[in-house]
């Protein structure tokens, strides 16, 4: 205290009573602020978490040798995709750890249509088909002139007549499930629902049709009329709840349908493409991905609105030849291929940003996300790769 004579000028309590509150409790405020900053930046429950996507194993598509493995990482989930093949060359099944479970060489005339549980072998100039398990045991053989299209991940097969004008669904015991189906001069595209085996078919007449896993035609509807009305591409979501089509020239339309054939939305693309364009459609992520010259457009399945445009010109992948696609609730993996080269992209569905990109000097045949949701499979015509997303 300070005194003038015997009288105090200020008492301690009076000094504090006239301080501003931010000065009075400055030490406390600094301590609390520092604590929050420390927890935010360094704490175990950080609001922003960084991840790395690291290679776990890889192997040649044509080798039965053990894979090259990072022993510090493990693939825990199950991939629905477990095969690689090249027509007239080889067929290769493997497990989640990269070890070969079955491999066979194919003759030059051999053609296969393959799924994760088996394949159908037919000759380019032959008149019979043979079905095999994924272990190479023959299941049945039939004299026929049709070309089989095997569902990759379920138990249905669609046979195409040699001129591709008629299709018919059978099961893996070669039992006929559907009538012969024809809705135009010829079939222009087809797609199986991954989880159910339902089949969406596109026709040159401008019609699309849905055949369920029991062989019943659930609907057949005409797409929106254009000057030249044919369906170039079709996609179906994992459970068969949604079907997308790309149809018409002058104008071209992207349309989404319900499983009963009702239209949910349609968009005029402002393009007039004349070939098949891959469509990635998922009801897990509720997103639709489609190449659009220099970009891949990301559409909302619910409303059709464009949520993002991914620049692909920087990878020299403008107007790609093929796109392979798989999607989970959180991530989407897709590849674009052209002129024997590819780029693989992993996209964060929630943040709407690319979290991984890999350029590959090969065609990519398939991509897949494991049941864990943070493990990824890439199958090219040269190598098989797996990656894992690691929190750091």
């Amino acid at each position: 205290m300070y005194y003038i004579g015997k009288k105090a000028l200020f008492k301690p309590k009076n000094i504090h009573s006239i301080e501003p509150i931010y000065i009075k409790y400055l030490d406390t405020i600094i301590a609390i602020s520092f604590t929050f900053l420390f927890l935010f930046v360094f704490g175990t429950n950080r609001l922003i978490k960084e991840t790395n996507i690291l290679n776990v194993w890889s192997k040649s598509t044509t080798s039965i040798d053990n894979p090259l493995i990072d022993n510090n990482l493990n693939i825990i989930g199950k991939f629905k995709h477990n095969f690689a093949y090249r027509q007239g060359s080889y067929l290769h099944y493997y497990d989640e750890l990269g070890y070969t479970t079955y491999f066979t060489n194919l003759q030059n005339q051999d053609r296969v249509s393959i799924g994760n549980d088996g394949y159908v072998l037919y000759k380019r100039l032959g008149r019979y088909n043979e079905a095999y398990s994924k272990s190479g045991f023959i299941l049945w053989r039939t004299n026929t002139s049709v070309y089989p299209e095997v569902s990759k991940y379920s138990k249905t097969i669609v046979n195409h007549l040699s001129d591709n004008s008629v299709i018919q669904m059978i099961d893996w015991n070669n039992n006929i499930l559907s009538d012969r189906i024809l809705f135009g001069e010829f079939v222009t595209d087809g797609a199986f629902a991954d989880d159910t085996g339902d089949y969406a078919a596109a026709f040159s007449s401008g019609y699309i049709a849905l055949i369920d896993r029991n062989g019943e035609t659930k609907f057949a509807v005409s797409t929106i009329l254009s000057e030249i009305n044919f369906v170039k591409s079709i996609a179906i979501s994992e459970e068969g709840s949604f079907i997308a089509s790309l149809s018409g020239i002058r104008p071209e339309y992207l349309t989404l349908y319900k499983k009963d054939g009702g239209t949910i939305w349609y968009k005029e693309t402002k393009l007039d493409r004349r070939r098949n364009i891959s469509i990635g459609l998922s009801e897990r992520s509720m997103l639709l991905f489609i190449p659009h010259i220099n970009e891949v457009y990301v559409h909302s399945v619910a409303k059709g609105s464009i949520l993002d445009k991914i620049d692909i010109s920087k990878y020299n992948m403008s107007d790609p030849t093929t796109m392979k696609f798989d999607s989970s609730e959180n991530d989407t993996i897709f590849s674009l291929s052209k002129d024997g080269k590819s780029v693989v992209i992993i996209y964060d569905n929630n943040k709407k940003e690319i979290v991984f990109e890999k350029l590959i000097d090969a065609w990519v045949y398939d991509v897949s996300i494991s049941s864990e949701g943070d493990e990824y499979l890439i199958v090219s015509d040269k190598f098989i790769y797996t990656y894992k997303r690691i929190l750091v």
Side-chain angles (χ1 to χ4, degrees), residues 300-347:
S300 162
V301 166
K303 297 181 179 180
S305 53
I306 298 172
L307 303 176
D308 200 2
K309 296 179 181 180
I310 302 170
D311 180 14
I312 59 175
S313 63
K314 63 183 180 181
Y315 310 112
N316 294 320
M317 280 294 157
S318 298
D319 198 18
T321 303
T322 61
M323 179 176 76
K324 302 300 180 182
F325 171 91
D326 193 21
S327 194
S328 67
E329 183 178 349
N330 296 317
D331 298 328
T332 294
I333 181 171
F334 67 95
S335 68
L336 303 167
S337 298
K338 174 175 138 177
D339 300 329
K341 298 182 184 297
S342 304
V343 61
V344 178
I345 293 171
I346 297 176
Y347 181 83

Side-chain angles (χ1 to χ4, degrees), residues 158-159 166-170 176-183 211 214-217:
V158 168
N159 284 329
V166 175
I167 57 175
Q168 186 172 42
M169 183 178 285
I170 65 172
I176 294 174
L177 299 178
S178 76
D179 295 330
R180 292 191 165 199
I181 297 167
L182 171 66
F183 288 106
I211 300 95
N214 300 310
E216 180 182 351
T217 300

